[in-house]
Amino acid sequence: MENSNKKLQQGVSAQVIKRLPRYFRYLRLLLNENRLRISSGDLAKMMNVTASQIRQDLNCFGGFGQQGYGYNVTYLYGKISEILGVNENYQAVIIGAGKLGQALCGSPVFTKRGVEVIGLFDNDKKIIGKIVDGLNVASIDTLGDFCKKNRVDIAALTLTSKNAPLAVELISSVGIPGIWNFTSYDINQTNTNISVQNVHLGDSLMMLCLSLREKYNNEKEHHSGGITE
Amino acid sequence: MENSNKKLQQGVSAQVIKRLPRYFRYLRLLLNENRLRISSGDLAKMMNVTASQIRQDLNCFGGFGQQGYGYNVTYLYGKISEILGVNENYQAVIIGAGKLGQALCGSPVFTKRGVEVIGLFDNDKKIIGKIVDGLNVASIDTLGDFCKKNRVDIAALTLTSKNAPLAVELISSVGIPGIWNFTSYDINQTNTNISVQNVHLGDSLMMLCLSLREKYNNEKEHHSGGITE
């Protein structure tokens, strides 16, 4: 536990770990194009980083990049998948079968990372019983029973923020160890043993608005302060 | 331009700016509960940070927290909204009217941050013409004309990653300055003047899988290494 912030996996630092999902995406792209070897230089160009960064990051896995030969894409993809837990066959449920929950249920975002959505829950009688991508929307009251019969690793929270605290309590009580949080509600992780990953779409949109505001202000300044030709 | 990474707005550091969306959310919660004053201590408890962090962050705006009196929630909310560009009445279009695009279109995530969705575009003839939350799904071919008639600040990209590069080219050519990217495609910002905010749902899910894997491994170690009672 105590070393989880330092060396996470097989001597790979947390800094490198954070960059792995991006490597994973690019390596999958290469595999899709049947490119089985790539040099650090070519990968660097694709990913818009330096070749030395690539070499530094990927050397953590042991030196499987060979001078003049490049990286073995399949091996690297497999290794990174393993570290990221892509091949663990995790199972997820979606809590909140509104538009976002339904969109997520049918999205390849899960299958591409080896996660299977096995349940979809809601508290709205109008939605319960509906079929979404082959899954029956079940009543949230049945989540406990469902978790006794099925291993559930992840609960994706796609309900309103107002209902989030109650849902988190429920998730904790039925023993689901991971939450993928799409609500704006901040889950207090110090009180629970749940792993939480927040999406916080609103925060992301606000950061975009902020950078637009900066951009517009700069353009205005540049305009008013510039030399007219 | 050159100081955008140091002091972004009125002497507020980039580090503090990053935390503002979270303050914004909590202050809105307080306003919804008609709480017009809050002490740094109470806000700290709510937000699960230290009171000294709160004071340090909010003092950047000028000392409007008074000893024994607390912060003026309305003023603070207004000030943070202003900095984040919430009141700029930005207008957005959604590119990709599949399930995720449709879910986003009807989501309060835009309106809550003062952004209005004014258009929804797709290249699929089966979807074009459909009405989604009062908006007609238009052909992507008409985006250029649309942008001549309407100010568009943000394009939310909710199409497949495969179609993303072409869409980014189009967005750039019609002059939309901001992209909210929901695809797994990495937009090369060095070549464009577009502000990009990435959601990268897949990366987020992978980080969750990784932390679950860590958690399971720790439990296993703890189990096998523990003293049996």
Side-chain angles (χ1 to χ4, degrees):
Chain A
M1 277 278 215
E2 63 271 28
N3 67 348
S4 66
N5 276 324
K6 290 168 212 149
K7 293 280 181 175
L8 281 160
Q9 290 282 343
Q10 305 162 15
V12 183
S13 78
Q15 277 309 311
V16 176
I17 289 277
K18 272 187 195 164
R19 289 194 283 268
L20 290 187
R22 195 155 178 263
Y23 282 112
F24 175 82
R25 269 190 281 128
Y26 278 91
L27 291 167
R28 197 180 52 220
L29 268 182
L30 290 170
L31 282 180
N32 288 345
E33 291 166 2
N34 292 315
R35 287 185 65 180
L36 301 181
R37 300 246 155 230
I38 190 157
S39 68
S40 54
D42 286 350
L43 190 55
K45 253 179 244 161
M46 271 182 79
M47 294 183 64
N48 201 29
V49 295
T50 63
S52 105
Q53 164 90 79
I54 300 259
R55 283 191 295 266
Q56 225 167 40
D57 283 356
L58 300 185
N59 280 350
C60 300
F61 306 102
F64 44 74
Q66 283 172 38
Q67 192 72 32
Y69 187 67
Y71 292 103
N72 179 326
V73 175
T74 317
Y75 175 81
L76 205 49
Y77 183 78
K79 196 77 192 162
I80 290 177
S81 299
E82 186 192 320
I83 291 174
L84 290 173
V86 171
N87 302 320
E88 301 285 320
N89 298 318
Y90 289 143
Q91 302 195 119
V93 296
I94 295 173
I95 315 274
K99 278 187 176 183
L100 179 59
Q102 290 187 28
L104 208 60
C105 187
S107 143
V109 73
F110 286 103
T111 46
K112 273 188 182 166
R113 276 96 194 159
V115 178
E116 191 188 358
V117 178
I118 60 168
L120 187 54
F121 294 86
D122 208 290
N123 64 357
D124 184 350
K125 280 181 187 156
K126 277 175 284 182
I127 303 179
I128 294 168
K130 203 175 155 175
I131 305 283
V132 177
D133 275 277
L135 286 178
N136 208 325
V137 180
S139 162
I140 187 72
D141 299 334
T142 66
L143 182 66
D145 279 341
F146 187 88
C147 289
K148 279 180 201 152
K149 288 179 199 142
N150 302 277
R151 200 195 77 209
V152 178
D153 305 288
I154 295 168
L157 268 196
T158 52
L159 33 70
T160 60
S161 303
K162 205 185 63 187
N163 289 328
L166 215 62
V168 171
E169 250 177 66
L170 178 65
I171 287 165
S172 173
S173 74
V174 302
I176 301 175
I179 294 181
W180 197 18
N181 181 24
F182 284 79
T183 78
S184 63
Y185 173 65
D186 272 318
I187 298 165
N188 188 339
Q189 281 179 266
T190 51
N191 292 345
T192 65
N193 190 26
I194 298 178
S195 299
V196 177
Q197 188 71 35
N198 294 303
V199 178
H200 283 336
L201 290 179
D203 292 12
S204 164
L205 179 59
M206 290 183 96
M207 292 316 283
L208 179 58
C209 290
L210 173 70
S211 73
L212 282 176
R213 196 167 170 257
E214 288 297 311
K215 183 200 289 277
Y216 291 151
N217 280 347
N218 283 330
E219 283 168 3
K220 228 186 286 172
E221 270 170 42
H222 188 252
H223 231 68
S224 59
I227 296 160
T228 47
E229 287 176 287
Chain B
M1 276 284 212
E2 62 273 27
N3 66 349
S4 65
N5 275 324
K6 290 168 211 147
K7 295 278 181 177
L8 281 160
Q9 290 281 343
Q10 305 161 17
V12 183
S13 78
Q15 278 308 310
V16 177
I17 290 275
K18 271 188 197 163
R19 289 195 285 267
L20 290 187
R22 194 153 179 263
Y23 282 111
F24 175 83
R25 269 190 280 127
Y26 277 92
L27 291 167
R28 197 181 52 221
L29 268 182
L30 290 171
L31 282 180
N32 288 346
E33 291 167 1
N34 291 314
R35 288 185 66 178
L36 302 180
R37 299 246 156 231
I38 189 157
S39 69
S40 53
D42 285 350
L43 190 56
K45 253 179 246 162
M46 270 181 79
M47 295 182 64
N48 201 27
V49 294
T50 64
S52 106
Q53 165 90 78
I54 299 260
R55 282 191 295 267
Q56 225 168 41
D57 283 355
L58 301 184
N59 281 350
C60 300
F61 306 103
F64 43 73
Q66 283 169 39
Q67 191 71 36
Y69 186 68
Y71 291 103
N72 179 325
V73 175
T74 317
Y75 175 82
L76 205 49
Y77 182 78
K79 196 76 191 164
I80 289 177
S81 298
E82 187 192 319
I83 291 174
L84 290 173
V86 172
N87 303 319
E88 301 285 320
N89 298 318
Y90 288 143
Q91 301 195 119
V93 295
I94 294 172
I95 316 274
K99 277 187 177 182
L100 179 60
Q102 291 188 28
L104 208 59
C105 188
S107 144
V109 73
F110 285 103
T111 47
K112 273 189 182 168
R113 276 96 194 159
V115 178
E116 192 187 357
V117 178
I118 60 169
L120 186 56
F121 296 85
D122 208 291
N123 64 355
D124 183 350
K125 281 181 186 153
K126 277 174 281 181
I127 304 180
I128 294 167
K130 200 175 159 176
I131 306 282
V132 177
D133 276 277
L135 287 177
N136 207 324
V137 180
S139 163
I140 189 71
D141 299 334
T142 66
L143 182 66
D145 280 342
F146 186 87
C147 289
K148 280 179 197 150
K149 290 179 197 143
N150 302 278
R151 201 195 76 210
V152 179
D153 305 288
I154 294 167
L157 269 196
T158 51
L159 33 69
T160 59
S161 303
K162 204 185 64 187
N163 288 326
L166 217 61
V168 171
E169 251 178 65
L170 178 65
I171 287 165
S172 173
S173 74
V174 301
I176 301 176
I179 293 182
W180 197 18
N181 180 25
F182 284 79
T183 78
S184 63
Y185 173 65
D186 272 318
I187 298 165
N188 189 339
Q189 281 179 266
T190 51
N191 291 345
T192 65
N193 190 26
I194 299 178
S195 299
V196 177
Q197 188 72 33
N198 293 305
V199 177
H200 283 338
L201 290 180
D203 291 13
S204 164
L205 178 59
M206 289 182 96
M207 292 316 282
L208 179 59
C209 290
L210 173 69
S211 73
L212 282 177
R213 194 165 172 260
E214 287 297 312
K215 184 201 291 276
Y216 291 150
N217 281 346
N218 283 330
E219 283 168 1
K220 226 186 289 172
E221 271 171 40
H222 189 253
H223 230 69
S224 60
I227 297 160
T228 47
E229 286 176 292

